[in-house]
mmCIF file of all heavy atoms in Angstrom:
data_model
loop_
_atom_site.group_PDB
_atom_site.id
_atom_site.type_symbol
_atom_site.label_atom_id
_atom_site.label_comp_id
_atom_site.label_asym_id
_atom_site.label_seq_id
_atom_site.Cartn_x
_atom_site.Cartn_y
_atom_site.Cartn_z
ATOM 1 N N GLN K 182 -0.275 99.514 -33.279
ATOM 2 C CA GLN K 182 -0.937 98.862 -34.408
ATOM 3 C C GLN K 182 -0.015 98.638 -35.566
ATOM 4 O O GLN K 182 -0.226 97.681 -36.308
ATOM 5 C CB GLN K 182 -1.997 99.881 -34.999
ATOM 6 C CG GLN K 182 -3.126 100.220 -33.892
ATOM 7 C CD GLN K 182 -3.786 98.859 -33.477
ATOM 8 O OE1 GLN K 182 -4.195 98.124 -34.355
ATOM 9 N NE2 GLN K 182 -3.865 98.665 -32.237
ATOM 10 N N GLU K 183 1.091 99.385 -35.743
ATOM 11 C CA GLU K 183 1.991 98.974 -36.795
ATOM 12 C C GLU K 183 2.749 97.702 -36.351
ATOM 13 O O GLU K 183 3.003 96.893 -37.295
ATOM 14 C CB GLU K 183 3.057 100.159 -36.924
ATOM 15 C CG GLU K 183 2.484 101.377 -37.627
ATOM 16 C CD GLU K 183 3.496 102.437 -37.714
ATOM 17 O OE1 GLU K 183 4.451 102.481 -36.884
ATOM 18 O OE2 GLU K 183 3.261 103.360 -38.543
ATOM 19 N N ALA K 184 2.999 97.483 -35.074
ATOM 20 C CA ALA K 184 3.710 96.232 -34.709
ATOM 21 C C ALA K 184 2.662 95.059 -34.944
ATOM 22 O O ALA K 184 3.094 93.994 -35.391
ATOM 23 C CB ALA K 184 3.984 96.341 -33.180
ATOM 24 N N GLU K 185 1.445 95.328 -34.696
ATOM 25 C CA GLU K 185 0.428 94.254 -34.807
ATOM 26 C C GLU K 185 0.275 93.903 -36.302
ATOM 27 O O GLU K 185 0.137 92.787 -36.721
ATOM 28 C CB GLU K 185 -0.970 94.643 -34.306
ATOM 29 C CG GLU K 185 -2.072 93.718 -34.489
ATOM 30 C CD GLU K 185 -1.810 92.359 -33.847
ATOM 31 O OE1 GLU K 185 -0.966 92.204 -32.937
ATOM 32 O OE2 GLU K 185 -2.519 91.288 -34.196
ATOM 33 N N ARG K 186 0.341 94.919 -37.148
ATOM 34 C CA ARG K 186 0.280 94.799 -38.556
ATOM 35 C C ARG K 186 1.383 93.893 -39.021
ATOM 36 O O ARG K 186 1.260 93.066 -39.957
ATOM 37 C CB ARG K 186 0.233 96.120 -39.327
ATOM 38 C CG ARG K 186 -0.257 96.065 -40.734
ATOM 39 C CD ARG K 186 -0.386 97.491 -41.368
ATOM 40 N NE ARG K 186 -1.301 97.377 -42.448
ATOM 41 C CZ ARG K 186 -0.893 96.905 -43.672
ATOM 42 N NH1 ARG K 186 0.218 96.380 -43.871
ATOM 43 N NH2 ARG K 186 -1.769 96.940 -44.651
ATOM 44 N N LYS K 187 2.612 94.171 -38.559
ATOM 45 C CA LYS K 187 3.752 93.349 -38.891
ATOM 46 C C LYS K 187 3.575 92.004 -38.462
ATOM 47 O O LYS K 187 3.940 91.077 -39.252
ATOM 48 C CB LYS K 187 5.013 94.069 -38.265
ATOM 49 C CG LYS K 187 6.291 93.268 -38.561
ATOM 50 C CD LYS K 187 7.506 93.921 -37.887
ATOM 51 C CE LYS K 187 8.736 93.228 -38.187
ATOM 52 N NZ LYS K 187 9.943 93.844 -37.524
ATOM 53 N N ARG K 188 3.110 91.759 -37.275
ATOM 54 C CA ARG K 188 2.911 90.357 -36.800
ATOM 55 C C ARG K 188 1.925 89.566 -37.674
ATOM 56 O O ARG K 188 2.147 88.459 -38.027
ATOM 57 C CB ARG K 188 2.384 90.353 -35.337
ATOM 58 C CG ARG K 188 3.480 90.608 -34.297
ATOM 59 C CD ARG K 188 3.021 90.388 -32.877
ATOM 60 N NE ARG K 188 1.944 91.195 -32.462
ATOM 61 C CZ ARG K 188 2.100 92.447 -31.844
ATOM 62 N NH1 ARG K 188 3.325 92.758 -31.569
ATOM 63 N NH2 ARG K 188 1.012 93.115 -31.531
ATOM 64 N N VAL K 189 0.838 90.258 -38.083
ATOM 65 C CA VAL K 189 -0.186 89.641 -38.899
ATOM 66 C C VAL K 189 0.396 89.283 -40.273
ATOM 67 O O VAL K 189 0.281 88.139 -40.785
ATOM 68 C CB VAL K 189 -1.399 90.525 -39.133
ATOM 69 C CG1 VAL K 189 -2.347 89.941 -40.113
ATOM 70 C CG2 VAL K 189 -2.168 90.713 -37.766
ATOM 71 N N ASN K 190 1.127 90.173 -40.858
ATOM 72 C CA ASN K 190 1.768 89.930 -42.151
ATOM 73 C C ASN K 190 2.828 88.801 -42.078
ATOM 74 O O ASN K 190 2.919 87.968 -42.917
ATOM 75 C CB ASN K 190 2.404 91.216 -42.739
ATOM 76 C CG ASN K 190 1.368 92.039 -43.479
ATOM 77 O OD1 ASN K 190 0.541 91.510 -44.167
ATOM 78 N ND2 ASN K 190 1.430 93.328 -43.274
ATOM 79 N N GLU K 191 3.566 88.747 -41.037
ATOM 80 C CA GLU K 191 4.671 87.716 -40.847
ATOM 81 C C GLU K 191 3.916 86.398 -40.718
ATOM 82 O O GLU K 191 4.391 85.336 -41.308
ATOM 83 C CB GLU K 191 5.467 88.041 -39.650
ATOM 84 C CG GLU K 191 6.459 89.194 -39.830
ATOM 85 C CD GLU K 191 7.262 89.454 -38.566
ATOM 86 O OE1 GLU K 191 6.914 88.961 -37.510
ATOM 87 O OE2 GLU K 191 8.245 90.209 -38.675
ATOM 88 N N ARG K 192 2.837 86.320 -39.950
ATOM 89 C CA ARG K 192 2.083 85.068 -39.839
ATOM 90 C C ARG K 192 1.471 84.598 -41.166
ATOM 91 O O ARG K 192 1.706 83.377 -41.498
ATOM 92 C CB ARG K 192 1.043 85.164 -38.773
ATOM 93 C CG ARG K 192 0.184 83.963 -38.589
ATOM 94 C CD ARG K 192 -0.697 84.080 -37.309
ATOM 95 N NE ARG K 192 -1.676 85.155 -37.443
ATOM 96 C CZ ARG K 192 -2.860 85.007 -37.968
ATOM 97 N NH1 ARG K 192 -3.268 83.903 -38.519
ATOM 98 N NH2 ARG K 192 -3.742 86.052 -37.963
ATOM 99 N N TYR K 193 0.972 85.514 -41.916
ATOM 100 C CA TYR K 193 0.437 85.105 -43.195
ATOM 101 C C TYR K 193 1.442 84.774 -44.191
ATOM 102 O O TYR K 193 1.381 83.921 -45.167
ATOM 103 C CB TYR K 193 -0.537 86.130 -43.674
ATOM 104 C CG TYR K 193 -1.976 85.947 -43.078
ATOM 105 C CD1 TYR K 193 -2.283 86.551 -41.817
ATOM 106 C CD2 TYR K 193 -2.961 85.243 -43.717
ATOM 107 C CE1 TYR K 193 -3.536 86.391 -41.286
ATOM 108 C CE2 TYR K 193 -4.189 85.017 -43.151
ATOM 109 C CZ TYR K 193 -4.467 85.657 -41.941
ATOM 110 O OH TYR K 193 -5.721 85.498 -41.425
ATOM 111 N N ASP K 194 2.618 85.496 -44.136
ATOM 112 C CA ASP K 194 3.779 85.186 -44.992
ATOM 113 C C ASP K 194 4.260 83.746 -44.739
ATOM 114 O O ASP K 194 4.574 82.970 -45.696
ATOM 115 C CB ASP K 194 4.902 86.179 -44.856
ATOM 116 C CG ASP K 194 4.563 87.517 -45.376
ATOM 117 O OD1 ASP K 194 3.630 87.626 -46.241
ATOM 118 O OD2 ASP K 194 5.273 88.537 -45.054
#
Side-chain angles (χ1 to χ4, degrees):
Q182 296 306 308
E183 287 178 342
E185 178 62 17
R186 198 176 200 284
K187 181 181 178 182
R188 283 193 293 270
V189 170
N190 275 318
E191 286 176 347
R192 177 165 63 87
Y193 277 87
D194 287 344

